[in-house]
Amino acid sequence: MPSIVLTDQEVPKLTCPPGKRSELYYDKIQRGLAVQVTPNGVSSYVVQHRTQTGGKKQCKIGSISEMTLADARAQAVREGDKYLAADGERTKVVTKRTLGDTFEDYIKAKNIIAENARRYEQVLKVYGGPLWTMAIKEITSKAVLDQREKVKLGTFIHWHEKHTSPIPTAKGGPGCANDLVEYGSMVCTYAGLSAPGQNPFRGIDAFPTGEPREKLVIEPTLWPRIYKALQRRSYRERLMFWTPCLMGARPLAAARMKWARLDLEQGSYHLTADKLECAGWKPATSPEWQYPVDNWLMSMLREQQEWVQPDEVWVFPSSQSKKAGSPMGENALGRLFDSLIEEGVLPAGMTPYSFRYTRGTYSEVMFGNTLVVQRMLNHQTDWGKGQKLHGSALRATPGYIVTLTNTVRPLVNKYATTIKQLCGIEPMSAETRKVFLDGEMLTIYQRHEMAVEAGKNMFLTEAGKY
């Protein structure tokens, strides 16, 4: 971002470089003042301010057509004074609050979903011990390191609101110690303690937690056995399996699917940037769009909808009476996987996340385009940089969203058709046989078997990045 001496003559001439969402031109005369120019040529004066805790705030003070440069510089001085005064008061209030108090503010402000909020609170309360009731300003790096070491060794005493004596119900370990540092850092950063040396949880290296788990991809030759085993299951269980499988969805995302977001006519699932509504689906920073659903899965969902009540909200409602009106937990899919492993249908160690590793790996082999693979996994966060998909520059505009949906739709249908062919539901094409049984996929599995025989723990592909 350039820094120049702003003049009344030069300000109207400033432009936004192609491919950028906006450009800021900082004034060398008045610190904190800048001109923001958008791609459509709208220019405004903005003021940026560094807070006492190392953060950054920005506000628009007026269009260049509404105020002179002299007025903008004077306003920048006034805004800066207001920022400093308000930030000083906020810092005094925030740093007096305990870690527990600030955590409550954090989950409300960030709209943290209930499952994650419970996990964060459990870790900070149980493993945080005395840190939970300390004022954030009083927590030191030494206190965090001491508590972390106790959690690692299992010698910690955790805080409990109803008891004052130690309750040895949690065992701790390196992973729990790492979680304590990670979650504590998130809360302190929210409180404004983001500058170096202010956040007592920052800069602490994680404990090693052992070898990474093998990220298993479903082998192409397993599909006939999987399909036959699922045909003996209830329709709910079959749909529970095929939905995340064919959508490449994370377990949490599939568990929280809503009928209202499914367009059964167009074949799409509506996603927004709402963290609660779209938990597990996509980054909150990416725009809303219609995530394409393949024709095979849509036919199964239409059949299921014929049997649901008109007021049914969730595609997969909880089967427990005490949780009526709630979605099923993501562990339900894990239990289905466990039962298929016990029957010998799936190999040991495979988890529901294997759907994403499988979709990513298969897409990589089928399409050979990294950006296409990202779209197939709804994993692309860089929506506004004009990247190209099949030669067309796509932007996060309404037209871009329609184009993106229509471009990805044939890809998800081809993926589903390939799975049907591998299952034996449809005749196998020469292309599918060549790619998945005689070509690159076979080579991948041969390399994996050789690595296993050599005693090495190796990913089947680079699917871990998915």
Side-chain angles (χ1 to χ4, degrees):
M1 298 179 183
S3 180
I4 62 175
V5 176
L6 296 178
T7 65
D8 287 317
Q9 293 74 29
E10 292 299 321
V11 166
K13 300 177 183 178
L14 300 176
T15 61
C16 179
K20 298 192 70 172
R21 295 181 181 179
S22 65
E23 180 67 287
L24 285 173
Y25 294 88
Y26 291 97
D27 186 14
K28 286 186 175 181
I29 303 298
Q30 176 56 53
R31 185 176 182 180
L33 178 66
V35 175
Q36 184 178 50
V37 186
T38 64
N40 57 6
V42 177
S43 299
S44 306
Y45 289 111
V46 299
V47 175
Q48 287 193 346
H49 165 66
R50 286 285 180 182
T51 67
Q52 293 180 7
T53 55
K56 184 170 68 174
K57 293 183 178 180
Q58 176 177 306
C59 75
K60 177 181 175 181
I61 58 176
S63 169
I64 64 169
S65 62
E66 298 172 348
M67 63 192 315
T68 65
L69 177 58
D71 290 338
R73 284 174 172 154
Q75 183 65 21
V77 174
R78 292 192 291 270
E79 291 293 333
D81 291 341
K82 286 195 297 183
Y83 274 141
L84 287 172
D87 189 54
E89 292 300 316
R90 179 179 180 275
T91 302
K92 291 178 184 177
V93 173
V94 168
T95 53
K96 287 181 179 179
R97 293 175 65 77
T98 67
L99 181 64
D101 294 334
T102 311
F103 171 78
E104 296 296 331
D105 298 337
Y106 169 76
I107 61 172
K108 292 177 183 176
K110 297 293 185 178
N111 285 328
I112 305 298
I113 62 173
E115 292 91 339
N116 289 345
R118 283 194 295 270
R119 169 63 180 164
Y120 299 160
E121 182 176 15
Q122 180 187 35
V123 168
L124 291 173
K125 269 188 178 182
V126 175
Y127 302 118
L131 304 178
W132 179 255
T133 54
M134 290 176 64
I136 285 186
K137 190 69 173 179
E138 298 173 0
I139 300 176
T140 64
S141 295
K142 183 180 184 303
V144 174
L145 288 169
D146 289 346
Q147 185 66 19
R148 184 183 80 135
E149 185 67 20
K150 293 175 183 177
V151 174
K152 175 191 175 185
L153 300 175
T155 60
F156 65 97
I157 299 174
H158 75 258
W159 177 91
H160 195 285
E161 57 188 344
K162 295 182 180 179
H163 302 278
T164 56
S165 59
I167 306 175
T169 55
K171 297 180 180 179
C176 298
N178 293 340
D179 288 345
L180 170 63
V181 172
E182 179 185 353
Y183 302 157
S185 182
M186 292 190 307
V187 175
C188 287
T189 300
Y190 163 74
L193 304 179
S194 55
Q198 288 187 325
N199 188 334
F201 293 88
R202 288 190 66 180
I204 299 176
D205 293 333
F207 287 125
T209 55
E211 292 294 325
R213 289 190 63 183
E214 198 171 28
K215 295 173 171 58
L216 295 175
V217 174
I218 298 176
E219 185 179 351
T221 56
L222 289 180
W223 288 108
R225 187 167 67 191
I226 293 172
Y227 179 72
K228 290 178 182 178
L230 288 172
Q231 289 302 99
R232 299 193 296 268
R233 300 285 183 134
S234 67
Y235 193 83
R236 173 187 167 87
E237 287 182 308
R238 296 203 299 272
L239 191 61
M240 190 193 305
F241 183 94
W242 289 118
T243 298
C245 172
L246 295 173
M247 295 184 74
R250 298 175 180 87
L252 177 61
R256 298 177 64 88
M257 284 180 64
K258 288 184 174 181
W259 286 112
R261 291 190 175 276
L262 268 170
D263 187 332
L264 295 175
E265 296 298 324
Q266 297 297 322
S268 60
Y269 191 74
H270 183 64
L271 297 175
T272 70
D274 187 284
K275 293 181 181 179
L276 276 175
E277 293 285 347
C278 295
W281 277 106
K282 59 195 275 292
T285 53
S286 59
E288 62 181 81
W289 75 298
Q290 304 296 336
Y291 188 79
V293 183
D294 65 87
N295 296 335
W296 183 25
L297 180 57
M298 287 306 299
S299 65
M300 288 188 274
L301 289 168
R302 291 190 191 98
E303 184 176 344
Q304 174 70 6
Q305 193 185 44
E306 293 179 2
W307 299 94
V308 302
Q309 298 298 321
D311 59 346
E312 191 71 73
V313 175
W314 308 100
V315 175
F316 299 107
S318 174
S319 57
Q320 300 180 27
S321 57
K322 63 180 180 180
K323 294 185 178 180
S326 300
M328 73 173 187
E330 56 182 306
N331 291 334
L333 185 57
R335 290 191 292 270
L336 175 58
F337 261 68
D338 290 341
S339 66
L340 291 172
I341 291 173
E342 289 177 6
E343 294 176 12
V345 177
L346 295 175
M350 189 161 281
T351 68
Y353 228 90
S354 295
F355 286 145
R356 286 184 69 76
Y357 305 143
T358 300
R359 187 176 176 94
T361 302
Y362 283 25
S363 296
E364 210 167 67
V365 174
M366 291 168 64
F367 307 118
N369 183 312
T370 300
L371 184 56
V372 170
V373 175
Q374 291 172 328
R375 299 302 192 200
M376 290 288 287
L377 293 167
N378 199 33
H379 205 255
Q380 174 67 18
T381 61
D382 203 5
W383 293 75
K385 297 294 180 67
Q387 294 193 17
K388 293 186 177 181
L389 180 61
H390 289 182
S392 301
L394 304 176
R395 305 294 184 99
T397 62
Y400 162 71
I401 299 304
V402 172
T403 302
L404 176 62
T405 302
N406 292 338
T407 304
V408 177
R409 188 179 305 283
L411 304 179
V412 299
N413 278 321
K414 183 173 182 179
Y415 178 78
T417 299
T418 300
I419 300 298
K420 291 179 79 172
Q421 292 177 5
L422 292 172
C423 286
I425 304 172
E426 291 185 357
M428 188 174 298
S429 68
E431 179 186 7
T432 299
R433 181 176 298 280
K434 177 182 178 181
V435 171
F436 288 93
L437 299 182
D438 302 329
E440 177 63 18
M441 287 301 298
L442 181 60
T443 304
I444 288 172
Y445 280 90
Q446 287 173 340
R447 290 204 306 267
H448 172 64
E449 292 301 326
M450 291 170 61
V452 170
E453 290 177 6
K456 298 178 181 178
N457 186 15
M458 166 186 164
F459 292 159
L460 295 181
T461 68
E462 293 182 358
K465 64 186 177 184
Y466 305 132

